[in-house]
Amino acid sequence: VTIMGNENQKGEREDPSALYEQGLQLMRQEKFEECERALRACLEIWEKNSNHRERVDGMLSLSQCFQKQPQRHEDSEVTIREALDVIAIHIPDNESLKAEAMLQLARCLSEDRSKERDQWYRAACEIWRHDGSHRKRATALKELGDILFNQKQYADAEEVLAQAVGAIQLCEPVDEGVLCEVFLYLGVCQCSQKKLEDARQSCLLALQLCEKLGDHVLTSAAICAIGCVLTETQGQVLEAVEMFRSATDIQKKLFGEDDPNRTMCLLGFGKCLLTAASYFEAESVFAEIIRIRKMTAVCDILNDMMNQVYYLSGLSMWHQGKALECVETLTRRLDRSTQHPQAFARLG
């Protein structure tokens, strides 16, 4: 088949469905120019024949093709908005298809348009809430919750993730792996807002699911999260130390000594040890973080500085001279990189 129009070499009309499948195959192969020609040929046929549902599907696929190309994200957005116009004019009763287009539009919007992006996510979820599409709604809510969590918008993330829990539990069958992740993120959001009892309950539910599934990676993350909650809870710091010790041991066996995946849990462990006034052990934990980051060539000056500031917090409690020597070394490093005033201020 020659993808140049609506007719093949024999002058016969193309089958748009076959051409559409070929376009999707070309997209999977990352042959984007050929994919675009195939999808546009389909769209031309469907527009002439007033096949509006198929036309919208084709436009959304074309948008995905654009989205996979770094310089064509604007084309992706324009195509989705055109698809929404086609739905509004020709098939306004197809709410589920409208929600699919809204979700795709939300996914293609850039970070500096986060408010608009969140509105599209919520609009799609509201449609699926009314029509009972629980799995689609759960997927969209988890996506939005993850985005808000990564932006440290913990109050908004908590609200969305709590809705995601409800949506996941309405699905048949329930995806317990996804539910475990959502409970874990929800617990961290609650802990960050000092909702410690709610956080503890969410993290315990996550831990129960992890152990049931036999997922050791998530189990260690859940234990670490519980450790963070207990660190913040008055009178529970010694129990928190043991939780962190267990989590770090699991991760060491899973990932090995030098894996950077260990550093987040180690950082929580170090802070917990500072709270417990175990300064000598805290210093060794922060030193381990610094060793791993240097060994794995992780280049992030700000995070490196913050880790070393915590390291110094533990060190200065029992070896002030060594701590001052480290401060002077780090200050000289920062003099060569003035892009991180936050780190400089913390060191000061």
Side-chain angles (χ1 to χ4, degrees):
V1 176
T2 304
I3 309 170
M4 296 301 292
N6 298 342
E7 297 182 353
N8 61 22
Q9 292 175 351
K10 296 179 181 180
E12 298 169 343
R13 299 295 291 179
E14 299 280 16
D15 176 5
S17 298
L19 200 55
Y20 178 64
E21 289 302 321
Q22 187 180 4
L24 297 181
Q25 179 66 27
L26 289 165
M27 194 192 311
R28 286 190 286 270
Q29 296 171 357
E30 298 186 355
K31 298 178 179 179
F32 299 124
E33 290 185 11
E34 297 169 70
C35 170
E36 181 180 350
R37 286 199 295 271
L39 293 177
R40 287 195 184 280
C42 297
L43 290 173
E44 185 180 341
I45 297 169
W46 284 327
E47 186 175 6
K48 287 179 179 177
N49 296 338
S50 298
N51 299 123
H52 302 302
R53 170 59 198 259
E54 291 83 353
R55 185 181 166 203
V56 170
D57 286 339
M59 294 171 85
L60 295 181
S61 296
L62 181 59
S63 168
Q64 288 179 349
C65 177
F66 291 146
Q67 188 69 18
K68 292 175 183 289
Q69 302 172 68
Q71 305 303 319
R72 304 204 64 181
H73 288 189
E74 186 176 339
D75 292 332
S76 178
E77 180 184 346
V78 169
T79 304
I80 299 170
R81 291 188 184 277
E82 289 174 353
L84 284 167
D85 289 341
V86 172
I87 295 169
I89 295 169
H90 298 290
I91 42 176
D93 295 334
N94 196 329
E95 289 288 298
S96 183
L97 185 60
K98 182 180 177 182
E100 294 280 1
M102 288 176 169
L103 178 61
Q104 196 161 320
L105 180 57
R107 287 169 172 167
C108 85
L109 294 178
S110 57
E111 193 62 42
D112 59 348
R113 298 168 66 186
S114 58
K115 186 175 180 180
E116 182 184 357
R117 178 202 59 203
D118 296 355
Q119 289 172 345
W120 285 113
Y121 266 113
R122 292 176 188 275
C125 290
E126 187 63 18
I127 290 172
W128 285 323
R129 185 178 70 84
H130 283 294
D131 71 12
S133 299
H134 304 306
R135 199 168 298 281
K136 290 179 179 179
R137 178 169 174 256
T139 299
L141 285 168
K142 183 180 181 300
E143 278 185 26
L144 178 56
D146 289 349
I147 290 169
L148 294 168
F149 177 88
N150 290 328
Q151 294 174 341
K152 295 182 169 48
Q153 298 181 36
Y154 295 122
D156 291 338
E158 180 191 1
E159 175 201 347
V160 172
L161 291 170
Q163 292 176 26
V165 167
I168 293 167
Q169 290 173 333
L170 290 170
C171 296
E172 291 291 343
V174 173
D175 189 330
E176 292 184 331
V178 173
L179 184 59
C180 172
E181 289 182 33
V182 173
F183 270 129
L184 190 53
Y185 279 109
L186 180 60
V188 176
C189 289
Q190 291 163 336
C191 183
S192 299
Q193 300 173 81
K194 307 300 181 186
K195 298 179 179 180
L196 299 179
E197 183 55 35
D198 291 341
R200 191 176 71 86
Q201 290 299 326
S202 296
C203 292
L204 285 171
L205 288 169
L207 180 59
Q208 290 170 9
L209 287 168
C210 295
E211 291 176 337
K212 178 182 176 182
L213 294 167
D215 189 322
H216 300 300
V217 174
L218 280 176
T219 296
S220 67
I223 295 172
C224 183
I226 294 170
C228 290
V229 175
L230 294 174
T231 302
E232 298 290 331
T233 306
Q234 188 173 5
Q236 300 292 311
V237 68
L238 295 180
E239 186 180 349
V241 168
E242 294 309 309
M243 296 297 283
F244 274 115
R245 206 182 300 283
S246 173
T248 54
D249 287 345
I250 293 171
Q251 291 189 351
K252 191 173 182 179
K253 291 175 183 175
L254 287 173
F255 304 130
E257 288 190 353
D258 304 326
D259 195 296
N261 287 310
R262 297 180 59 218
T263 56
M264 286 304 296
C265 190
L266 284 170
L267 183 58
F269 188 22
K271 293 178 183 178
C272 178
L273 289 166
L274 289 181
T275 304
S278 299
Y279 302 122
F280 182 83
E281 189 176 1
E283 188 219 351
S284 67
V285 170
F286 291 123
E288 177 75 352
I289 296 170
I290 295 165
R291 183 193 68 79
I292 292 171
R293 293 181 70 83
K294 285 180 178 177
M295 198 166 194
T296 53
V298 179
C299 298
D300 185 338
I301 294 174
L302 182 57
N303 281 334
D304 282 346
M305 290 299 169
M306 292 299 99
N307 286 334
Q308 294 191 57
V309 168
Y310 286 122
Y311 164 78
L312 292 166
S313 299
L315 180 61
S316 62
M317 298 295 182
W318 67 281
H319 198 321
Q320 194 171 49
K322 188 176 177 182
L324 288 170
E325 183 182 326
C326 290
V327 169
E328 290 168 359
T329 301
L330 294 176
T331 304
R332 284 196 295 272
R333 283 182 62 194
L334 277 177
D335 284 342
R336 296 193 295 273
S337 175
T338 57
Q339 300 175 8
H340 301 290
Q342 180 187 0
F344 196 87
R346 292 288 295 275
L347 270 178

